[in-house]
Amino acid sequence: MQRIFLFAILILAIFYNPAFSEESYQLEKIVVTSSRIQGSFGTGRSVTTIDAGNMQSSAYDALQDIIGNLGGIDIRRRSPEGVQSDINIRGTTFEQNTLLIDGIYMNDPQTGHYTMDLPLTSFDKEDVEILKGPASSLYGANSFGGVINVITKKPEDKKLIVSAAGGTCNYFSGGISLSHPLAALKNRFSIEWNRAGSYIPDSEFDIINLSESSMVNTDSGDYDFFFGYSNKNYGANTFYSNLYPREAESTDTRFFKLAGKMGSGCLRFEPKIFLRRHYDKFMLDKNRPGWQTNYSTNYTYGADLGFVIEDPFLDAAYGFELSEDRIFSTNMQKHDRGKTGLYAEITPHIFDLLYINAGIRQDTFSDFEIEYSPSVNMKYAFFDFLSARASLGRSFRVPTFTDLYYRDAANTGNEDLKPESSWTYEAGLDYRSEFVNCSAGYFRRNSDDTIDWTRMNTGNPWRVSNIGTVETNGAEASIDRFFLNYTALDSYRKHDYLSKYALDYLKQQISAGIDYSLFGFKNSWVLNYKKRVGDTSSSVVVDT
């Protein structure tokens, strides 16, 4: 009853707030860097922005494929077109990063394998911001390696877009997007369909995405609404285990959000309510219908009340989050997890050449102990073109429902798991000019109670446990004039078992590319060199 009452208060706060009715605050693009405060001097963290122009000129269509070329990001794809992807940042696992849509937490509580099931069409993406490094002080659990924030486009006045493409293996992609205002309400509806047959065994896919986006300006504030839907059916060759290669998957993802923004003087109020629903049907062997077939539906819903104060002497952000995770599964049964988060951060204005930001967050879970996540980051400008940055932060992750409760012939969960945590230290240099932007940095991450799936040999099932401490050192360098990134990583833990995730990472990665136009045609060349830990060989892939 207490949670229902709090939700009602939060919803009322969104729709009725006369204290802020004196001045309408124009909706702006959500910007997630190392802070909820949008400062003019920048950030003391490593942040990469991919705008709509970059995505349109890319050789790839799916967001998962586009960001896979960035330094420090390892994409483990099961098929193209965003069918299923695990994203690992700076040597972390796919569970140790955070995904946001317009600043709203989207990680799947069942398993991180489904976190990148984005309920978005290609017409919805405006910008993508990627923050590397710890971010639990901002967004709570999972942010070991970094944060990916997808910023959706706002509806336009009147616009119609139609697209279609085809290729080998019965590949087809088509979509339509219509923007049209209804009085003061701006509105956009989009739908697209992607499908293909198998290019390797069990790689076929059939995907439908649709979305509805609306925005309205009122005297008491500005509000935007978004609903996204994604339905996927695909072959999942060796998805969870090499013991059963003929696996198949069907997923259904739905996302709803209502957000407001209003302000008066130096105070800005940003309330949000949201709901994410994910359904999946997983077959361990699609040639044996009904055997080891699991059905699961999970829900994440909640609200966030955020405030930002912008003052000549001090900027501050603070707020309260309330959410709940629920799962109904034939394999894992029924479970729920309540979560509350309190966060605060400040950016004092000491002098123009120095940027300092400090934050702390408290997360309370119904099934685990309270977690505290502090962070400090700073930046100093030696010249207009050269600056140094440094940061320190703690992150944590609570086990997913799969980690705790999943059981089949190839995988065994563990109800006695503890949350994992890490401290990350980072320093770097940035060079910025009108001709070229360059950066270089070093980081060290010390992780405790690391969660991993392990086994002694390939004939055994995977079992999950807290394997202990893992130390990771990394170096990064990038030049954006011709798109060049280099990343080197080294993680250490003495072990005599096979690691499924925590100790499987890219030891070296080089990405280089160039976009250009020739006779009116857009051209893109991308080269990727990857060397994975434990492999005696490396791979080089060229896309054009």
Side-chain angles (χ1 to χ4, degrees), residues 392-409:
L392 164 68
R394 181 184 186 271
S395 291
F396 73 97
R397 178 176 86 85
V398 296
T400 63
F401 291 132
T402 295
D403 291 332
L404 295 168
Y405 308 115
Y406 191 83
R407 302 285 191 281
D408 67 18

Side-chain angles (χ1 to χ4, degrees), residues 48-183:
T48 301
T49 301
I50 305 173
D51 60 27
N54 296 139
M55 286 186 275
Q56 290 174 0
S57 63
S58 172
Y60 308 96
D61 294 323
L63 172 65
Q64 294 90 328
D65 300 326
I66 294 173
I67 65 178
N69 292 320
L70 299 178
I73 297 182
D74 178 19
I75 303 289
R76 309 298 292 271
R77 304 173 181 85
R78 270 140 186 121
S79 280
E81 300 298 322
V83 172
Q84 197 284 323
S85 302
D86 294 340
I87 293 188
N88 313 283
I89 303 176
R90 287 184 167 180
T92 58
T93 73
F94 61 93
E95 301 281 14
Q96 296 174 328
N97 305 289
T98 297
L99 174 69
L100 310 171
I101 294 181
D102 290 338
I104 294 175
Y105 187 86
M106 292 291 293
N107 284 52
D108 192 280
Q110 178 182 337
T111 171
H113 286 304
Y114 301 140
T115 292
M116 291 304 294
D117 281 354
L118 297 173
L120 302 171
T121 72
S122 60
F123 308 108
D124 296 321
K125 306 178 188 75
E126 177 70 21
D127 291 337
V128 178
E129 289 210 344
I130 301 169
L131 164 65
K132 296 179 186 176
S136 284
S137 64
L138 293 169
Y139 304 107
N142 298 84
S143 307
F144 281 55
V147 175
I148 299 172
N149 184 45
V150 183
I151 303 167
T152 59
K153 290 181 180 179
K154 302 306 177 190
E156 299 176 281
D157 290 334
K158 286 186 179 181
K159 193 171 186 178
L160 175 65
I161 304 175
V162 179
S163 66
T168 59
C169 300
N170 295 317
Y171 171 74
F172 171 78
S173 175
I176 183 170
S177 178
L178 174 64
S179 294
H180 198 287
L182 299 173

Side-chain angles (χ1 to χ4, degrees), residues 202-243:
D202 302 308
S203 62
E204 73 282 356
F205 61 86
D206 192 331
I207 306 173
I208 294 178
N209 297 322
L210 65 85
S211 67
E212 167 67 28
S213 179
S214 302
M215 184 176 71
V216 64
N217 306 119
T218 71
D219 292 338
S220 62
D222 299 328
Y223 304 90
D224 71 285
F225 163 86
F226 186 88
F227 172 77
Y229 171 81
S230 177
N231 183 275
K232 300 181 180 181
N233 296 278
Y234 54 92
N237 187 287
T238 64
F239 192 160
Y240 284 115
S241 174
N242 63 301
L243 301 179

Side-chain angles (χ1 to χ4, degrees), residues 153-422:
K153 290 181 180 179
K154 302 306 177 190
E156 299 176 281
D157 290 334
K158 286 186 179 181
K159 193 171 186 178
L160 175 65
I161 304 175
V162 179
S163 66
T168 59
C169 300
N170 295 317
Y171 171 74
F172 171 78
S173 175
I176 183 170
S177 178
L178 174 64
S179 294
H180 198 287
L182 299 173
L185 181 69
K186 291 186 176 181
N187 185 73
R188 181 183 70 246
F189 176 79
S190 305
I191 186 170
E192 63 183 1
W193 179 32
N194 295 283
R195 65 165 174 81
S198 295
Y199 64 95
I200 59 175
D202 302 308
S203 62
E204 73 282 356
F205 61 86
D206 192 331
I207 306 173
I208 294 178
N209 297 322
L210 65 85
S211 67
E212 167 67 28
S213 179
S214 302
M215 184 176 71
V216 64
N217 306 119
T218 71
D219 292 338
S220 62
D222 299 328
Y223 304 90
D224 71 285
F225 163 86
F226 186 88
F227 172 77
Y229 171 81
S230 177
N231 183 275
K232 300 181 180 181
N233 296 278
Y234 54 92
N237 187 287
T238 64
F239 192 160
Y240 284 115
S241 174
N242 63 301
L243 301 179
Y244 300 93
R246 303 303 305 275
E247 302 168 19
E249 189 86 23
S250 298
T251 66
D252 180 301
T253 309
R254 305 175 189 186
F255 170 61
F256 158 89
K257 74 135 185 178
L258 179 60
K261 185 175 288 189
M262 54 215 74
S264 178
C266 63
L267 180 63
R268 189 167 72 246
F269 177 46
E270 301 176 351
K272 307 182 186 76
I273 58 173
F274 56 89
L275 167 68
R276 179 187 184 273
R277 174 193 181 273
H278 188 277
Y279 161 84
D280 80 274
K281 173 187 175 183
F282 175 72
M283 293 182 285
L284 195 63
D285 188 341
K286 67 180 183 180
N287 292 333
R288 302 164 66 180
W291 180 80
Q292 297 288 297
T293 298
N294 302 317
Y295 301 84
S296 301
T297 303
N298 68 67
Y299 299 85
T300 296
Y301 52 90
D304 179 0
L305 287 178
F307 297 85
V308 178
I309 299 174
E310 295 179 341
D311 185 82
F313 302 101
L314 177 76
D315 293 339
Y318 59 95
F320 170 76
E321 293 180 5
L322 174 68
S323 64
E324 189 159 19
D325 298 330
R326 290 180 176 268
I327 188 169
F328 304 88
S329 171
T330 56
N331 182 290
M332 294 171 279
Q333 307 308 312
K334 177 182 176 181
H335 302 279
D336 59 80
R337 172 184 294 160
K339 302 181 293 182
T340 58
L342 296 170
Y343 58 86
E345 61 173 310
I346 60 170
T347 299
H349 300 166
I350 300 175
F351 62 98
D352 292 342
L353 301 180
L354 179 65
Y355 169 90
I356 297 177
N357 175 271
I360 189 167
R361 180 180 173 114
Q362 173 190 292
D363 285 279
T364 304
F365 297 84
S366 58
D367 49 354
F368 294 101
E369 295 182 356
I370 296 175
E371 295 283 348
Y372 292 94
S373 306
S375 68
V376 177
N377 64 89
M378 60 183 67
K379 177 179 179 181
Y380 182 80
F382 299 105
F383 307 99
D384 291 342
F385 56 87
L386 181 65
S387 60
R389 52 183 164 82
S391 64
L392 164 68
R394 181 184 186 271
S395 291
F396 73 97
R397 178 176 86 85
V398 296
T400 63
F401 291 132
T402 295
D403 291 332
L404 295 168
Y405 308 115
Y406 191 83
R407 302 285 191 281
D408 67 18
N411 305 273
T412 302
N414 181 357
E415 295 186 31
D416 296 324
L417 287 176
K418 299 183 294 183
E420 58 182 344
S421 62
S422 70

